[in-house]
Amino acid sequence: MPGVCEGPVGGVDRGHQKGGNVNIRRIHLQNFRLHADTEVFVPAKGVTAIVGGNETGKTTILEGLEWAFSGGDHTRGKVANLRWFGAPPRSGAKVTVDFSVGGKEYRVERLESTARLFAMPAETVIAQGTTPVSEAVTELIGMTHREFISTVFCRQKDVEALSRMGATDRVAFIRQVLQMEKIDEALKNLRKRKNEMAARLEGMTGSEDDLKRAEAEQREVTARVEASGAAVHAVGKELQSLSEHMSDATKVLAEERQKKGTFRDLTHRLEMAKRVREGIRSQFADLEQQIAAGKEAEAALEDAAPEGLIEELRDYLHECRRNRQRLQQALDAMSRASAARNGAVLNLKEHESRVEELQCALDAVEYDPDLLAKLDAQIQEMSRAHSETVGALRGEIEAHRTDERKTLRKIEAIKQAGEGACCPTCLRGMDGEVFDQVLESLNDHLRVVVKDAEHKEELVRQSNEMTRRGLAELRAARSDAEQARDAHKSVSSDLIHWRREVKVAEARLEEAASRRNEARADLAKIEKLDVPEAEELRSMEQELDAKVAERVRLESRVEALAVASARLERLQADHDARTVEVEALTSKIASIGFDEERYLQAEESVGGLQEKTNQAEVALSARRATYGAQKDELSRVTVRVESLREVVSSLEAQKAEYRTVTKATEMMEGFRVAVTSTIRPEMEELMSGFYAALTDGRHEAVELNEDFSAQAFEAGHAPDTLSGGASDQLALAQRLALSLMMAQRSGNPMNLLFLDEPFGSLEESRRMNVLNLIRDLSGVFTQVVVISHVAETKDAADYVVELEHDPSIGASRVVAA
Ligand SMILES: Nc1ncnc2c1ncn2[C@@H]1O[C@H](COP(=O)(O)OP(=O)(O)O)[C@@H](O)[C@H]1O
Ligand SMILES: [Mg+2]
């Protein structure tokens, strides 16, 4: 179990020597890019070769180390794409690196979203979280990420980039790698500071003179302020005495004003009271006139239109009107009764004539009550006799017809039997004559029989005809008799009805006659009463109306008299009250003792004092403004004097500081020149050594120009052109020289060097040189790791790790170590 420290992690064990002597032990990649699970051990000393075909994940191992130490997006691609494509779900990319610094063991472990740094072997967590771990590693190895990779990692792409760089970029790159820019930065800051101080000191020169001038001004302004103060005081005093006078005068004026107010108020009220009294007086005459008229009317009232007379006249008129009405009604009733009686007479006459008519009609009807029965008996008798006769005749006809048929059959039989045969009846033999005789007699008999039958049929016919005609006559007579009977019956009933109606009409006539008599009696009675003519009646009415109108007129005057008397009384009382009020107000006004002249004097005196006070106030505020302005000026001058005093006193200190900064700048400039001048010879020397080794001593020396571009020398000559391979080697030599210088300059001896594909496009013999150089470098760097697809690299290595891509799992694996 790794121990987890309490509290904020990230602090590095201060017991270690900071930086230096970094040694890598193990790099373990899990689900990182094309590594599913690759573990590479690196021996503490010597050259390790990591070999394998193209795209077997060699460079990725280097990037895994870089990511574990620094995190972030420093490697190719994004963090999001770090995870192996074939990684099982929920297992992220993870890189673990075991390493030592100054002999102490550590482990850094980084996942996509977190990281931890352990102190080994106790596994104590000393930093946790992506950024804290990166910062802790930087502190531990004593290098920033940038410094670390430009020193420790010598990558093919860096070498190529260096050889392709233009002069300016190269100088900048080298200066940056060697941290010259830090010196430049420091120098820039020093110069800036120096310039700022110079400008400030420039601004401060002359401030001593300024101070003297300011002090003189301060004295002058102080004197002015004092004079102004005295003036303000004097005006203030004057104003105070004015204000005392003013307060007395104001008091007097206030009293006068109050008196004036009361006086005005009372006078107004007196005026009002007088006006009201005048108004009352003006109403008196009018009222008295009304009263006189009323009294006159009162006297005239009984003479002109006595109430009793009017009443009598009214009653009489009323009586007359009623009598006229009754008379009219009686006349109407009379004429109605006469009309009714006349109607009844007419009615009766009508009914009587109707009865007469009906009696004549009844008499005209020939009606025998037994006739119908007689006719019915005759009809019956005739029918019976007829059927009897016809029955007898029919019997005889039947007998004749039977005889006829018999005779015919006999004749037929005799004819058939012919002459000589026996007579069928008498059964005698018949010879010719007999035969003929028999036939003759038989035929005679037949003729007689037929004639009889026909005769009798004729008799039946005659009887039928006679009976039919007789019956028709009888039936016609019968229907006449029926009609006569019906007519008799209906006329009789009408007659009965109308006779009754006549009785009723007689009764009505009697009643109408008696009513007419009554009406006539009534009329006679009324005609005896007093009924004046309509014209007379109208003139009497007019007379009455005139009397009534006169009375109403006089009565209204009498009524007005009462009202006017009451009003007069009230007004009298009111008038008296007003008179009392007028007297009271007059004596009050006299008691106030208000004098307009005195009042005006008081007003004038207050106005005069007010004006004086205003003038004094204006003067005071002007003096005060001057005083305030002068005081402000004084305080401004005082501030200036103070600040100038400060400036003068700090001037010395600043001058001393300026001298120090100037000195430091000069020293830094000297230091920069010294450093720059040593870089080139040092790099030249290192490059010469590396280049000679890489070219088998064919190029014995390298010279660096101002811009750090290299010139190789061969047998004392400088060729203008170099082969591609040679220039690659020159670049490699420069890159190695840089790494070495950087390692030395950082103050920490760097023991570690990674070379990724250092051979470039070199031919085999030259590759050997590189390998030899690498072996030589192992004398300088404790741990050298060479990454290459070139198989010979293995020959130069103390330890080999061989990688292969396994298509069955879609990831790389270590095949030999
Ligand atoms: N997340 C990933 N999962 C699987 N393969 C990856 C992933 N990222 C990159 N690769 C593969 O890694 C290979 C590059 O690896 P690299 O280390 O540069 O190879 P080498 O240096 O051996 O030539 C490429 O083939 C690329 O397809
Ligand atoms: Mg590679």
Side-chain angles (χ1 to χ4, degrees), residues 630-788:
Q630 282 169 353
K631 258 166 84 179
D632 286 353
E633 199 187 342
L634 179 60
S635 67
R636 270 201 303 279
V637 171
T638 309
V639 167
R640 231 176 95 218
V641 167
E642 292 301 314
S643 81
L644 280 169
R645 272 183 195 144
E646 249 169 57
V647 168
V648 169
S649 73
S650 81
L651 191 59
E652 279 319 305
Q654 296 216 20
K655 274 180 185 161
E657 199 186 336
Y658 178 68
R659 281 193 295 277
T660 311
V661 171
T662 312
K663 188 85 190 144
T665 310
E666 281 164 13
M667 279 166 78
M668 188 56 99
E669 275 163 351
F671 177 62
R672 186 172 176 277
V673 171
V675 168
T676 316
S677 63
T678 55
I679 285 171
R680 264 203 300 148
E682 196 181 339
M683 190 179 268
E684 256 174 15
E685 199 188 320
L686 285 170
M687 272 182 83
S688 299
F690 290 144
Y691 197 48
L694 287 169
T695 56
D696 282 332
R698 183 167 157 183
H699 293 277
E700 73 274 18
V702 173
E703 242 179 58
L704 278 176
N705 299 322
E706 281 285 308
D707 60 1
F708 290 95
S709 60
Q711 173 67 62
F713 282 87
E714 191 180 345
H717 297 280
D720 334 340
T721 53
L722 275 180
S723 72
S727 57
D728 280 355
Q729 279 170 313
L730 195 55
L732 180 62
Q734 193 165 25
R735 180 67 186 80
L736 288 171
L738 259 177
S739 274
L740 212 58
M741 284 169 77
M742 175 72 189
Q744 285 160 358
R745 249 153 242 274
S746 69
N748 315 308
M750 284 307 297
N751 303 322
L752 184 62
L753 183 68
F754 284 89
L755 292 153
D756 186 9
E757 301 290 359
F759 303 110
S761 54
L762 296 182
E763 64 183 31
E764 211 184 319
S765 62
R766 293 275 167 118
R767 284 187 206 153
M768 284 319 293
N769 291 337
V770 175
L771 286 172
N772 288 335
L773 180 63
I774 290 166
R775 283 231 59 86
D776 290 347
L777 285 172
S778 71
V780 182
F781 296 96
T782 320
Q783 262 188 331
V784 177
V785 180
V786 191
I787 292 170
S788 177

Side-chain angles (χ1 to χ4, degrees), residues 32 156 203 400 417 449 463 482 781-782 795 798:
F32 186 81
Q156 180 63 33
H400 290 313
V449 169
S463 171
E482 263 175 354
F781 296 96
T782 320
D795 305 338
D798 301 312

Side-chain angles (χ1 to χ4, degrees), residues 142-292:
M143 281 184 184
T144 62
H145 165 249
R146 176 86 165 276
E147 286 165 356
F148 180 72
I149 58 156
S150 44
T151 312
V152 171
F153 288 6
C154 178
R155 289 180 287 203
Q156 180 63 33
K157 63 173 194 230
D158 303 336
V159 173
E160 278 168 8
L162 189 61
S163 78
R164 273 200 306 272
M165 269 178 201
T168 327
D169 288 345
R170 186 169 41 244
V171 172
F173 175 72
I174 289 168
R175 291 184 72 83
Q176 180 204 318
V177 169
L178 295 177
Q179 307 202 332
M180 283 294 288
E181 58 181 6
K182 285 189 180 162
I183 298 173
D184 288 351
E185 185 70 25
L187 192 57
K188 205 169 119 195
N189 285 339
L190 274 172
R191 279 185 185 143
K192 195 174 158 207
R193 178 132 176 73
K194 193 184 128 192
N195 290 343
E196 278 168 6
M197 290 187 80
R200 209 171 323 139
L201 283 172
E202 172 87 32
M204 283 157 83
T205 54
S207 49
E208 276 148 342
D209 291 348
D210 285 353
L211 178 60
K212 269 182 211 136
R213 273 200 297 277
E215 278 168 349
E217 196 184 344
Q218 193 185 30
R219 281 192 295 278
E220 201 181 296
V221 174
T222 309
R224 260 190 274 147
V225 166
E226 273 159 15
S228 271
V232 167
H233 184 70
V235 178
K237 245 190 175 159
E238 188 192 335
L239 201 59
Q240 201 180 336
S241 98
L242 271 173
S243 120
E244 275 157 20
H245 280 118
M246 181 72 165
S247 111
D248 293 346
T250 313
K251 231 178 265 167
V252 171
L253 181 62
E255 273 164 24
E256 285 302 312
R257 225 172 240 162
Q258 201 182 348
K259 268 187 201 168
K260 186 183 180 173
T262 318
F263 175 77
R264 203 186 281 156
D265 192 34
L266 289 174
T267 316
H268 177 71
R269 271 165 62 194
L270 180 63
E271 208 55 43
M272 289 301 289
K274 277 180 178 165
R275 221 177 284 159
V276 171
R277 199 171 58 172
E278 260 341 283
I280 293 169
R281 272 184 194 153
S282 75
Q283 288 177 48
F284 280 164
D286 202 20
L287 279 176
E288 273 157 6
Q289 208 176 321
Q290 275 180 39
I291 288 166

Side-chain angles (χ1 to χ4, degrees), residues 55 58-60 76 756-757 787:
E55 295 189 280
K58 304 182 294 293
T59 302
T60 303
R76 289 174 292 178
D756 186 9
E757 301 290 359
I787 292 170

Side-chain angles (χ1 to χ4, degrees), residues 33-34 55-60 76 81-85:
R33 293 245 163 84
L34 76 172
E55 295 189 280
T56 50
K58 304 182 294 293
T59 302
T60 303
R76 289 174 292 178
N81 296 329
L82 284 179
R83 192 185 299 190
W84 173 41
F85 297 152

